[in-house]
Amino acid sequence: PVTGDMRAFVLQGLSASTAPDIFYVDSFWTKDVVDTGKMQALDDLISASSVLKKADLLTNLVETFTLNGKLYAISKDFNSLIWFQNIDQFNQAGVDLLTSDDDFNDVLTKLSAVAGKTGKPTVLNPDGARFLPLAFSAGMPLLTEDAKGKKAPFGSTEAKLAAEFYTAPFTQQFQGRKFPKKFGMTSSDVQTGWPGEAFYKEKASCVIEGGWLVPPIRDNNPTENFSSVFPPLASNTGQRGNFLFTVGYGMPSFGPNQALAFKVIEAITSPEAQAFILEAGLALPSRKALLNNPILSTPKDTFQRADKVDFLAAGLPGSVPFRFDPVGGGYLDTINAGLTKIFNGEANVSDAMDAAAAELDKKLVDLGLRKA
């Protein structure tokens, strides 16, 4: 077991030619390991395989681990973002449940009403991993470009619209609408470690999480009456955005055991192994055929229904890999800092997003992607 930083372990192993025959690759840092030049492209091995084909896997997952036209890892499982809601709290408030057809305005109307009538808030943290898909759905690109090169997009109208929506439970306003009561709290505000914990302890009416929340609900509050829906449609575009969170199995380009190592990858991503992952409730499988498994085709309880929503959400238009090439993790750090200012009341949406854009532009200069 690797108890430290897995990215550092893999990069060090590749650099020193001591990497294991098979290693774990997170979509967030796949480009870092591919850029070492010591990661094995798997296309030829897959072409020769009778067990594993690209067509067997969800297209988005293949694209996640494809760089420069080559596939470098096989996704073992995945998650996407879905919105969890406590049905009893919505019913107590007499408010219609969120639906996958709701847009930004619909969501805020419902969540503010539930909090006002039950005292149960929407629990959100200043988290770019939850916010950015909303910005993408509103039309914000990952980066823009001007005469100086790559440019931060956070100061755009689209980015600010999404930021207004995401922070409205704390600012009580959105596009000229005023809400009578603060209806958002952070996980620490409700004395929990993360929004998912607030949800299964029924301290939150709604949270934005992924399929990883299903096992904690099952283990800690199996009778909680909840449902889940796709992320909302942007009010300006009618589009939806999402992140695809996944990890895969990769191989170094050196060593005597490549043929055998690929056979192991075939085995641990086989239909049987993938069915085990799904049926044990560990994660969602990366093979398309598993959508025909009864858990996903005909879910029998609220946990399986949540898994199905999560599985389908990953394949919708607007779902993109959770990675920020060519910027890397600094992209996420910058927007997190901007959101924190809004949550804490240190800056309004426009000023905070403009400041985040200026900070990211500095990082782009440092990376050689923009002229000073």
Side-chain angles (χ1 to χ4, degrees):
V2 177
T3 57
D5 183 338
M6 188 66 180
R7 173 182 172 277
F9 170 80
V10 172
L11 288 172
Q12 182 179 354
L14 291 173
S15 176
S17 296
T18 58
D21 295 313
I22 302 169
F23 51 82
Y24 164 115
V25 186
D26 191 308
S27 62
F28 189 67
W29 41 264
T30 297
K31 185 177 184 299
D32 295 343
V33 292
V34 171
D35 284 350
T36 66
K38 293 189 174 183
M39 194 169 176
Q40 178 65 48
L42 303 178
D43 302 83
D44 291 343
L45 292 164
I46 289 174
S47 294
S49 175
S50 60
V51 178
L52 179 63
K53 298 294 184 184
K54 290 182 184 180
D56 297 334
L57 305 171
L58 290 171
T59 302
N60 281 357
L61 296 177
V62 174
E63 293 175 352
T64 296
F65 292 114
T66 299
L67 283 85
N68 305 317
K70 296 180 179 179
L71 179 63
Y72 285 93
I74 305 300
S75 175
K76 76 179 186 70
D77 54 38
F78 74 94
N79 269 290
S80 59
L81 294 171
I82 52 179
W83 290 52
F84 289 79
Q85 57 189 332
N86 184 296
I87 295 174
D88 290 339
Q89 292 171 11
F90 274 73
N91 288 344
Q92 178 187 344
V95 175
D96 290 340
L97 291 171
L98 300 177
T99 76
S100 294
D101 295 324
D102 285 346
D103 69 7
F104 289 175
N105 280 293
D106 299 324
V107 167
L108 294 178
T109 297
K110 293 176 180 180
L111 295 182
S112 60
V114 173
K117 293 177 181 179
T118 67
K120 300 293 185 180
T122 299
V123 174
L124 290 172
N125 289 338
D127 182 1
R130 306 293 185 271
F131 160 72
L132 287 168
L134 300 167
F136 296 149
S137 74
M140 185 194 85
L142 184 71
L143 294 170
T144 60
E145 197 156 348
D146 63 12
K148 292 185 177 182
K150 299 296 183 183
K151 181 174 174 58
F154 303 144
S156 68
T157 301
E158 295 81 6
K160 290 178 179 179
L161 171 72
E164 261 198 89
F165 167 69
Y166 187 78
T167 62
F170 298 83
T171 65
Q172 298 101 59
Q173 54 187 342
F174 175 70
Q175 296 289 284
R177 293 181 63 190
K178 303 290 185 182
F179 298 95
K181 182 179 179 181
K182 181 177 178 179
F183 57 98
M185 292 188 181
T186 65
S187 55
S188 60
D189 288 338
V190 294
Q191 292 79 52
T192 57
W194 61 298
E197 181 184 358
F199 190 76
Y200 69 68
K201 288 185 174 179
E202 303 198 43
K203 295 184 176 184
S205 63
C206 180
V207 295
I208 308 170
E209 294 294 336
W212 54 80
L213 179 53
V214 173
I217 299 174
R218 184 189 292 116
D219 294 341
N220 294 282
N221 188 5
T223 61
E224 182 171 9
N225 189 17
F226 76 95
S227 66
S228 53
V229 296
F230 298 150
L233 303 169
S235 53
N236 62 328
T237 65
Q239 303 300 308
R240 201 186 319 272
N242 211 329
F243 271 141
L244 195 62
F245 302 92
T246 184
V247 296
Y249 298 114
M251 297 166 45
S253 58
F254 50 82
N257 301 319
Q258 286 191 316
L260 181 58
F262 187 73
K263 287 185 178 296
V264 174
I265 291 177
E266 288 178 324
I268 58 181
T269 61
S270 67
E272 295 82 4
Q274 291 273 294
F276 171 79
I277 288 172
L278 175 63
E279 291 164 6
L282 299 175
L284 294 174
S286 54
R287 284 180 173 263
K288 295 176 183 176
L290 268 296
L291 186 57
N292 296 321
N293 184 289
I295 289 176
L296 296 177
S297 63
T298 53
K300 65 177 176 29
D301 59 31
T302 190
F303 305 111
Q304 293 183 0
R305 285 192 288 273
D307 283 339
K308 182 172 184 176
V309 171
D310 196 12
F311 191 98
L312 294 175
L316 294 175
S319 294
V320 297
F322 183 63
R323 70 183 197 215
F324 304 99
D325 306 338
V327 183
Y331 190 96
L332 196 61
D333 295 339
T334 303
I335 194 60
N336 285 348
L339 293 171
T340 298
K341 289 179 181 178
I342 304 170
F343 271 57
N344 293 342
E346 299 171 19
N348 62 36
V349 168
S350 184
D351 290 347
M353 294 299 283
D354 285 343
E359 187 62 30
L360 184 58
D361 279 345
K362 292 179 184 177
K363 295 181 187 293
L364 294 173
V365 170
D366 293 341
L367 291 167
L369 298 169
R370 181 174 179 77
K371 297 176 183 176

